């Protein structure tokens, strides 16, 4: 996939070149797909620690006396109930309930929220938040270009980070954030991630990106988007554009719990989402484990024993941890889970339906 | 990316060795450039078995990596005389040694090979990729 000349270089671009990364155009950014072996990168995150450049993600700040109220109206979650220093996984939905992006919102102070958007949706999220905050005493500012985001993920992440930070990590819970110094630079340290492992996401000034990366480069394995995708798939985490789209409701994706219908006041999409909550969704997101060696891929049909299409794969890849290909797929309503196969380029390949996630850290 | 001088190449990124040999049997594999672009190869399906014939430019299998699936094309026409069972069992060998242990099949060529590229032309093709 040749990169467009217009693709944005992250502050770590030269570091990636120095590590001989294979760079690809991902949502308009030149990002490392892999450095050497994506399977080795994946295993490093499961067994030790991996280091990711996530500077393509969007950092949008919502501030002001009514910032919490504006987010309650704009998003499906109850953000005014979020304690300072905590994070929440939530969604921006359209009026019809379709998902425009899935987000993590951090409350940095009473009147300061950091909304982290997917790179491809950064503009959509910024525009929607601006429009939806219009009636509130709240300001929306996209500061993505000022920030770099580096993720340190894996069972060794806490030990590696503790050695170079001044903040006590024992008190930093999962889905919490605090400000501190990391390797001599100012950072927002969040205990969040997208790999199924313990780990941290470090928001730093773009000019400090290389310094914070170099702090960990020799101790953690640099890992690219390929490993990130197989890790999140094993952990059963949805990816926008795959499991989640504007045509998907949170309920389809088994994520109805993030829709807080009982929060005070109205919010965008509430009426449609309330109706969906009352009616079971016609389809459901399931995990598939292939019996053979062929991986189900996005867009492949799920078929019944007699070959009738009954669903579609949203993500699929060989799972380094399970040693077999795994996939997430939407199954049509009422379809029995026995005897299913995926149509792999014209040939049915048997799959078993399993509960998500495929992998859970012990 | 290495492009060995002595080999010939198809535009679909297969290599052919032994075209000048007297046996008329050539060895076929996929190039380092293709293997690298695919990523880690996890599955190789070869449709023809020993004794079957392949046609230049026709699909004769599939190469599946962690991220994608690609067709495998035969760069020459003729009878398959050997299939590398080792790469069927362990396809990652293709990533590790595409021009050596990672060879895929051998063909007794029936026709003059058509538009195969020399190393210079193939090197130029992948530069432009």
């Amino acid at each position: 996939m040749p990169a467009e000349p217009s693709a944005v270089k992250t502050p770590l671009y030269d570091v990636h070149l120095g590590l001989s990364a294979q760079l690809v155009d991902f949502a308009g950014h030149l990002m490392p797909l892999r450095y050497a072996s994506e399977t080795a990168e994946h295993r490093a995150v499961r067994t030790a620690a991996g280091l990711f450049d996530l500077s393509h993600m969007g950092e949008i700040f919502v501030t002001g006396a009514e910032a919490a109220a504006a987010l309650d109206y704009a998003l499906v979650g109850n953000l005014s109930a979020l304690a300072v220093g905590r994070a929440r996984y939530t969604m921006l939905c359209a009026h019809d309930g379709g998902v425009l992006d899935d987000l993590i919102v951090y409350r940095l102070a009473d009147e300061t929220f950091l909304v982290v958007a997917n790179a491809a949706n950064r503009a959509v999220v910024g525009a929607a938040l601006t429009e939806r905050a219009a009636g509130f005493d709240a300001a929306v500012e996209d500061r993505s270009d000022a920030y770099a985001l580096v993720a340190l993920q894996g069972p060794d992440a806490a030990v590696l980070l503790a050695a170079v930070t001044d903040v006590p990590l024992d008190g930093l819970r999962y889905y919490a954030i605090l400000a501190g110094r990391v390797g001599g630079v100012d950072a927002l340290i969040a205990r969040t991630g997208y790999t199924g492992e313990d780990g941290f996401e470090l928001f730093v000034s773009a000019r400090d990106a290389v310094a914070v990366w170099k702090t960990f480069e020799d101790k953690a394995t640099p890992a690219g988007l390929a490993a990130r995708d197989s890790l999140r798939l094993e952990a059963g985490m949805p990816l926008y554009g795959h499991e989640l789209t504007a045509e998907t409701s949170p309920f389809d994706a088994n994520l109805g719990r993030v829709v807080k219908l009982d929060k005070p006041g109205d919010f965008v999409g509430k009426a449609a989402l309330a109706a969906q909550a009352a009616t079971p969704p016609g389809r459901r997101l399931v995990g598939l484990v292939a019996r053979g060696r062929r991986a189900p891929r996005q867009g492949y049909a799920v078929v019944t024993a007699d070959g009738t299409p009954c669903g579609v794969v949203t993500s699929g890849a060989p799972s380094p941890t399970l040693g077999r290909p795994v996939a997430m797929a939407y199954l049509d309503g009422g379809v029995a889970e026995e005897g299913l196969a995926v149509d792999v380029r014209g040939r049915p390949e048997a799959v078993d339906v399993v509960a998500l996630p495929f992998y859970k850290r012990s | 990316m290495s492009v060995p001088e002595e080999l010939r190449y198809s535009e679909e990124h297969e290599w052919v060795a032994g075209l000048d040999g007297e046996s008329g049997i050539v060895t076929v594999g996929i190039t380092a450039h293709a293997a690298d672009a695919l990523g880690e190869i996890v599955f190789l399906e070869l449709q023809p078995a020993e004794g079957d014939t392949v046609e230049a430019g026709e699909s004769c299998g599939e190469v599946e990596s962690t991220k994608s699936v690609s067709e495998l094309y035969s760069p020459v026409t003729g009878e398959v005389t050997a299939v590398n069972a080792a790469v069927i069992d362990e396809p990652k060998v293709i990533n590790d040694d595409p021009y050596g242990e990672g060879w895929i099949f051998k063909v007794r060529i029936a026709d003059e090979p058509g538009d195969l590229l020399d190393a210079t032309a193939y090197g130029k093709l992948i530069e432009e990729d």
Side-chain angles (χ1 to χ4, degrees):
Chain A
M1 165 178 3
E4 292 293 319
S6 60
V8 175
K9 295 173 181 174
T10 78
L12 291 164
Y13 175 78
D14 288 336
V15 169
H16 302 319
L17 284 188
L19 292 167
S20 302
Q22 186 181 342
L23 293 162
V24 293
D25 185 339
F26 183 83
H29 293 70
L30 276 172
M31 301 302 293
L33 182 66
R34 67 175 74 84
Y35 298 87
S37 154
E38 64 263 34
T39 307
E41 291 165 21
H42 179 114
R43 292 211 166 96
V45 175
R46 288 273 178 262
T47 59
L51 190 61
F52 298 84
D53 178 11
L54 305 181
S55 301
H56 59 313
M57 305 287 284
E59 287 89 9
I60 299 167
F61 284 77
V62 182
T63 54
E66 291 183 324
L71 288 172
D72 282 347
Y73 173 68
L75 306 176
V76 301
N78 189 1
L79 286 312
S80 53
L82 186 63
V84 171
R86 299 306 306 269
R88 188 151 294 167
Y89 176 73
T90 186
M91 292 180 188
L92 176 80
C93 284
H95 285 276
D96 69 357
V99 180
L100 299 177
D101 200 15
D102 63 334
L103 309 159
I104 292 181
V105 177
Y106 299 91
R107 190 167 202 170
L108 303 179
D110 263 344
E111 299 184 358
T112 306
F113 292 82
L114 166 59
V115 177
V116 177
N118 284 297
N121 296 333
R122 171 183 155 189
V124 166
V125 174
L129 290 180
T130 302
E131 186 192 318
R132 295 176 189 188
F136 296 88
D137 179 8
V140 177
E141 188 188 2
D142 185 337
R143 294 170 63 186
S144 306
D145 295 339
Y147 276 89
L149 177 56
V150 171
L152 181 67
Q153 298 277 304
D156 293 352
V159 171
L160 293 177
L161 181 58
V164 294
T165 186
D166 58 339
V167 298
L169 298 178
D170 287 348
L172 185 65
R173 292 151 70 193
Y174 189 51
Y175 266 67
I177 189 166
L178 49 68
R181 304 269 294 172
V182 174
V185 304
D186 288 328
L188 289 169
I189 305 165
R191 198 161 205 157
T192 45
Y194 194 51
T195 61
E197 297 301 328
D198 185 20
F200 301 87
E201 294 182 309
L202 308 169
F203 297 87
V204 299
S205 158
R207 67 177 177 277
D208 291 331
V210 173
V212 79
W213 178 278
K214 293 284 180 193
T215 302
F216 300 108
E217 191 183 273
D218 296 338
K219 303 175 194 81
T221 303
L225 292 177
R228 184 170 166 81
D229 192 46
S230 54
L231 288 159
R232 70 91 196 168
L233 174 60
E234 285 185 349
M237 294 171 167
L239 174 60
Y240 198 84
H242 292 248
E243 287 71 36
L244 299 174
T245 69
E247 283 74 47
T248 314
S249 96
F251 295 97
D252 294 336
N254 298 335
L255 292 165
R257 62 184 162 78
V258 309
V259 181
K260 303 300 181 190
L261 291 168
D262 54 354
K263 68 177 168 177
D266 193 19
F267 64 90
V268 177
K270 182 176 182 179
L273 289 165
Q276 289 174 17
T279 335
R283 55 181 186 156
R284 62 194 189 277
L285 189 68
V286 298
L288 304 176
V289 176
R291 294 188 184 175
R293 293 164 72 183
R294 304 303 303 269
R297 307 275 179 184
Q298 181 183 23
Y300 289 8
V302 183
V303 295
T304 59
D306 65 5
T308 309
C310 64
V312 63
V313 174
T314 50
S315 298
S319 160
T321 306
L322 274 66
R324 303 167 91 175
V326 299
M328 288 197 268
Y330 278 111
L331 280 192
D332 297 343
V335 171
E337 296 184 350
E338 303 302 315
L340 297 182
V342 169
D343 182 337
V344 176
R345 297 160 70 88
R347 208 163 350 143
E349 296 281 345
V351 293
D352 293 309
V353 175
V354 301
L356 291 168
F358 302 103
Y359 167 84
K360 206 168 189 173
R361 74 177 182 266
S362 48
Chain B
M1 200 55 64
S2 99
V3 181
E5 273 299 316
E6 68 279 14
L7 304 179
R8 293 294 172 269
Y9 301 88
S10 72
E11 290 189 0
E12 285 81 27
H13 307 285
E14 285 88 21
W15 56 260
V16 182
L19 271 175
D20 303 328
E22 286 171 12
S23 67
I25 294 177
V26 299
T27 306
V28 173
I30 65 173
T31 67
H33 171 78
D36 193 60
L38 282 166
E40 284 173 53
I41 298 169
V42 293
F43 183 82
L44 174 70
E45 180 184 81
L46 196 60
Q47 278 139 13
E50 276 180 40
D52 292 343
T53 55
V54 286
E55 286 276 329
E58 300 277 304
S59 171
C60 64
E62 290 181 354
V63 185
E64 179 157 355
S65 70
T66 54
K67 290 304 285 177
S68 64
V69 188
S70 296
E71 300 267 347
L72 177 70
Y73 298 94
S74 179
V76 291
T77 298
E79 180 194 335
V80 174
T81 63
V83 166
N84 188 356
V87 301
I88 306 280
D89 286 345
E90 189 64 56
K92 194 176 175 298
V93 174
I94 297 171
N95 294 106
D96 297 338
D97 190 9
Y99 301 115
E101 296 294 318
W103 66 274
I104 297 175
F105 57 95
K106 294 178 189 283
V107 179
R108 177 177 288 113
I109 51 174
D111 267 341
E112 279 297 300
D115 302 330
L116 294 176
L117 308 172
D118 63 17
T120 311
Y122 182 68
K124 220 173 145 195
L125 178 81
I126 61 178
E127 291 262 303
E128 289 163 5
D129 241 12

